[in-house]
């Protein structure tokens, strides 16, 4: 079995491999900076995941930096970096994770003929050679090596088995079977595992893993089927985010394993009480909302609307509930601060919520807290989470909202004036009218930034109930050829909207600048590389 199992005596322990920061981060419009990725990784460690796939280090300097930082500061889980079979990828992955207490290199190559012919434009022999060389190289750096035959569920199983056997021969500790395009069914996937074990008995000596996409809404069911067939690692993402329809949802598979332990006698190491907070953090920082009826973490997951259900639950909870909301941390709105609460009380409350905020960051959080507390009677745990996440989003290299003014009413078109602080520190002012106050503000921001944007999505939510609730706004826009998201939190939704828009715009411009710099580096590298 893989290295984790040397310490795990429990053969029925299912390891949770979180890929929110890698496959999840590949969802369109998500652009997390290093600080945000570290914050999520710290929360994943509190949640008790076994492995964090922190990124794909070769893809950009930003990805490398984030994986390196997470490897240095996040304690507990194995930290994994993704790499194709190319030497440069594996070198970059190792470079980024080498300081982790438990590093892992995850290398992959497709085994389906569709991918081999059309994407890789090579042949099966070459794939075998690349898999062998990649696992051997990764193993020369790192004891823990995971290998994935990409698009395995659409590949010839005999060929996939040959490639997996090579990976095991070269020392892979984990073999992962990706359902890359979300195509398989539970029975088919379980059969795939059974047949692989027959073809390559040595797979029983390593840890087998599942990685399922949700294109047909089967990711959790397929992952579960793979686990019942012998896999002991599940690759999943918080809120199920990921390429296209997403990945297996972490919270769903973790609760499925926990709630139905009676039928399968399997366990995870997940601290389920951290699930709701982790879901909120990921949703906030990625800008990906959680659908209200989403299992486990949706706003309505524990709500009962029909009279019959309400009546039943009031008499006896188990009539219509298979889990208690407190098991997934949904009752964590208990901390209450008010306008007289001081810096110490705030620091303590934040620590209870898992945020370690000190020095200047604490001063900033305190200032933001005071602004809210002056306008709101009670500041709850959910408010504090929103305020601190909001504060974390401001960073030195970004555009920031300096101030805005808006005149609006029913008798003349609204007019807004907005000042934006550029990354250079210079303040530029823009002015515009619009269809409504929010529209006028958004156009004034474009004017101040000197950039045209297309608004893709605009969403306002109340952080808690009550008339004085904090408003949380999410904006998705397209600017400079990039899709980007931003959030803003304030008691005034116009202010929250302006902040969210400036952040989304800033993320788009930053993403475009990084892409240009990367393209220039790649071009220079091609020029330096001698021809064949
Ligand atoms: O979906 C997939 O095949 C992947 C691999 C890199 C494991 O994400
Ligand atoms: Zn994937």
């Amino acid at each position: 079995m893989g290295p984790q199992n040397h310490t795990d005596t429990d053969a029925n322990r299912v390891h949770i491999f979180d890929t929110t920061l890698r496959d999840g981060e590949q969802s369109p419009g998500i652009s997390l900076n290093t600080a945000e990725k570290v914050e999520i990784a710290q929360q994943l460690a509190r949640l008790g995941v076994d492995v964090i796939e922190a990124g794909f280090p070769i893809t950009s300097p930003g990805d490398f930096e984030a994986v390196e930082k997470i490897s240095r500061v996040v304690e507990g889980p194995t930290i994994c970096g993704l790499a194709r079979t190319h030497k440069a990828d594996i070198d970059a992955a190792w470079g980024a994770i080498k300081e982790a207490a438990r590093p892992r290199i995850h290398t992959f190559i497709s085994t389906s003929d569709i991918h081999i012919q059309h994407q890789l434009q090579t042949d099966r022999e070459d794939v075998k050679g690349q898999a062998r060389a990649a696992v051997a190289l990764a193993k020369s750096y790192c004891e823990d090596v995971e290998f994935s035959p990409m698009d395995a569920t659409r590949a010839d199983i005999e060929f996939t088995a040959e490639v997996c056997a090579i990976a095991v021969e070269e020392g892979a500790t984990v073999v992962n079977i990706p359902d890359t395009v979300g195509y398989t069914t539970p029975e088919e996937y379980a059969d795939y595992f059974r047949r692989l074990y027959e073809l390559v008995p040595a797979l029983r000596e390593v840890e087998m893993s599942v990685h399922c996409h949700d294109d047909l809404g089967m990711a959790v069911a397929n992952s579960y089927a793979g686990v019942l067939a012998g896999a002991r690692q599940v690759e999943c993402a918080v809120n199920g985010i990921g390429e296209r329809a997403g990945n297996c949802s972490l919270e769903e598979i973790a609760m499925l394993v926990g709630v139905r332990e009676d039928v399968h006698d399997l366990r995870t190491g997940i601290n389920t009480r951290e699930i709701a907070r982790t879901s909120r953090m990921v949703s906030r920082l990625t800008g990906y909302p959680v659908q209200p009826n989403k299992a486990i973490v949706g706003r309505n997951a524990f709500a009962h609307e029909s009279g019959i259900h309400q009546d039943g639950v009031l008499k006896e909870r188990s009539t219509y509930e298979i889990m208690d909301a407190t098991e997934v941390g949904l009752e964590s709105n208990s901390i209450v601060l008010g306008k007289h609460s001081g810096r110490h009380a705030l620091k303590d409350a934040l620590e209870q919520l898992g945020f370690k905020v000190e020095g200047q960051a604490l001063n900033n959080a305190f200032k933001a807290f005071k602004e809210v507390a002056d306008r709101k009677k009670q500041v709850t745990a959910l408010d504090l989470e929103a305020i601190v996440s909001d504060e974390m989003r401001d960073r030195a290299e970004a555009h920031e909202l300096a101030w805005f003014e808006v005149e609006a009413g029913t008798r003349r078109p609204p007019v807004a004036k907005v000042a934006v602080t550029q990354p250079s520190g210079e303040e530029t002012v823009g002015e515009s009218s619009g269809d409504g106050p929010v529209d006028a503000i958004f156009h004034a921001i474009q004017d101040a930034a000197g950039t045209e944007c297309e608004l893709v999505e605009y969403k306002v939510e109340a952080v808690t109930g009550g008339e004085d609730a904090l408003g949380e706004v999410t904006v998705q826009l397209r600017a400079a050829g990039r899709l980007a998201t931003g959030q803003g939190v304030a008691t005034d939704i116009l202010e929250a909207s302006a902040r969210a828009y400036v952040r989304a715009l800033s993320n788009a411009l930053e993403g475009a600048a990084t892409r240009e710099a990367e393209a220039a580096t790649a071009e220079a590298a091609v020029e330096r590389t001698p021809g064949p």
Side-chain angles (χ1 to χ4, degrees):
M1 289 283 188
Q4 306 215 21
N5 287 357
H6 293 307
T7 49
D8 280 354
T9 46
D10 183 357
N12 286 358
R13 168 81 146 73
V14 176
H15 296 117
I16 297 294
F17 173 115
D18 179 90
T19 187
T20 307
L21 295 174
R22 200 279 297 168
D23 211 321
E25 226 255 342
Q26 285 171 215
S27 314
I30 296 186
S31 51
L32 297 169
N33 62 38
T34 298
E36 290 164 340
K37 288 183 184 174
V38 171
E39 198 61 41
I40 291 177
Q42 298 280 25
Q43 179 58 27
L44 291 170
R46 283 192 285 273
L47 178 65
V49 307
D50 299 285
V51 186
I52 295 175
E53 187 164 52
F56 196 170
I58 190 77
T59 54
S60 71
D63 233 67
F64 184 98
E65 179 197 277
V67 177
E68 188 178 47
K69 186 83 201 275
I70 289 169
S71 301
R72 287 182 181 152
V73 304
V74 177
E75 290 169 17
T78 293
I79 308 297
C80 176
L82 185 67
R84 288 167 300 183
T85 47
H86 307 175
K87 181 175 181 322
D89 281 45
I90 295 170
D91 288 349
W94 176 241
I97 60 166
K98 64 181 191 293
E99 288 181 41
R102 290 191 200 89
R104 176 186 293 179
I105 298 174
H106 176 191
T107 184
F108 71 97
I109 188 162
S110 297
T111 55
S112 71
D113 289 328
I114 309 178
H115 281 204
I116 295 174
Q117 281 163 23
H118 301 293
Q119 189 177 16
L120 301 175
Q121 300 186 334
T122 185
D123 56 36
R124 288 183 174 192
E125 278 313 300
D126 183 45
V127 166
K128 287 201 273 183
Q130 286 198 44
R132 186 180 293 285
V135 176
L137 178 63
K139 193 73 184 183
S140 73
Y141 294 138
C142 184
E143 166 50 29
D144 193 3
V145 175
E146 172 168 338
F147 174 73
S148 291
M150 194 172 180
D151 203 21
T153 52
R154 290 194 303 166
D156 172 17
I157 193 161
E158 265 87 17
F159 176 63
T160 303
E162 265 185 79
V163 179
C164 291
I166 290 172
V168 177
E169 260 169 53
E170 295 301 331
T173 43
V174 180
V175 173
N176 175 48
I177 305 299
D179 180 33
T180 304
V181 292
Y183 181 68
T184 199
T185 65
E187 288 77 10
E188 201 177 62
Y189 198 46
D191 284 346
Y192 203 99
F193 274 84
R194 286 187 205 107
R195 183 78 184 118
L196 276 183
Y197 282 126
E198 275 166 25
L199 292 167
V200 189
L203 287 176
R204 296 209 176 272
E205 305 307 314
V206 300
E207 178 149 289
M208 292 296 283
S209 164
V210 292
H211 178 109
C212 298
H213 280 269
D214 208 29
D215 299 64
L216 294 174
M218 299 291 263
V220 175
N222 288 335
S223 302
Y224 183 56
V227 168
L228 295 182
R232 284 295 175 270
Q233 173 177 283
V234 178
E235 303 201 350
C236 47
V238 176
N239 299 336
I241 60 172
E243 280 281 357
R244 306 179 310 279
N247 284 84
C248 168
S249 136
L250 183 152
E251 55 282 3
E252 292 177 24
I253 191 77
M255 289 312 287
L256 168 60
V257 171
V259 171
R260 296 312 313 273
E261 195 177 343
D262 58 325
V263 293
H264 45 231
D265 192 28
L266 296 166
R267 287 158 282 286
T268 71
I270 292 296
N271 174 5
T272 61
R273 286 179 182 268
E274 291 292 331
I275 284 179
R277 182 178 308 156
T278 314
S279 163
R280 288 194 296 268
M281 181 189 281
V282 168
S283 172
R284 229 170 232 140
L285 296 180
T286 59
Y288 265 56
V290 173
Q291 76 197 53
N293 60 328
K294 163 91 174 55
I296 318 296
V297 290
R299 200 181 336 116
N300 298 343
F302 294 87
H304 299 279
E305 189 65 20
S306 102
I308 295 179
H309 287 212
Q310 284 177 355
D311 176 56
V313 168
L314 285 174
K315 288 177 176 147
E316 165 55 44
R317 191 184 61 78
S318 62
T319 48
Y320 290 96
E321 280 187 4
I322 58 166
M323 304 166 262
D324 188 329
T326 58
E327 275 177 59
V328 297
L330 276 173
E331 95 306 8
S332 67
N333 202 15
S334 46
I335 299 167
V336 176
L337 300 180
K339 69 174 174 188
H340 299 298
S341 305
R343 204 174 294 256
H344 267 304
L346 176 69
K347 189 164 184 275
D348 284 353
L350 291 177
E351 268 168 22
Q352 280 183 51
L353 291 171
F355 293 100
K356 211 164 169 37
V357 185
E358 276 160 356
Q360 192 51 40
L362 179 62
N363 293 342
N364 294 347
F366 188 64
K367 187 165 164 271
F369 159 72
K370 276 290 178 198
E371 276 170 21
V372 171
D374 280 345
R375 298 191 225 170
K376 207 173 175 300
K377 276 193 233 91
Q378 294 187 326
V379 181
T380 66
L382 290 180
D383 293 327
L384 285 179
E385 264 181 37
I387 296 168
V388 176
S389 311
D390 192 60
E391 271 304 305
M392 272 171 41
R393 288 182 199 118
D394 282 332
R395 49 190 202 275
E397 70 278 19
H399 293 69
E400 268 180 53
L401 175 73
W403 51 263
F404 76 95
E405 287 166 7
V406 64
E407 270 177 38
T410 49
R411 297 202 299 178
R412 52 181 168 274
V415 183
K417 210 169 177 183
V418 179
V420 172
T421 311
Q422 307 281 336
S424 62
E426 188 201 345
E427 203 173 281
T428 50
V429 178
E431 208 167 336
S432 179
S433 57
D435 286 341
V438 173
D439 190 50
I441 289 173
F442 288 178
H443 281 97
I445 293 171
Q446 292 185 45
D447 189 37
T451 313
E452 297 246 320
C453 312
E454 178 202 339
L455 183 66
V456 177
E457 205 175 310
Y458 171 69
K459 188 167 66 79
V460 188
E461 266 183 336
V463 172
T464 51
E467 276 178 18
D468 59 357
L470 277 179
E472 183 163 38
V473 172
T474 305
V475 163
Q476 193 174 57
L477 53 74
R478 200 181 302 276
R482 299 278 296 188
L483 190 64
T485 307
Q487 288 82 36
V489 175
T491 40
D492 170 357
I493 61 155
L494 291 180
E495 184 183 336
S497 303
R499 280 166 174 265
Y501 197 87
V502 172
R503 284 183 181 131
L505 176 60
S506 187
N507 286 340
L509 296 179
E510 220 180 286
T514 313
R515 196 180 42 189
E516 261 173 40
E518 280 162 16
T521 318
E523 219 167 89
V526 170
E527 275 166 20
R528 281 197 307 272
T529 311

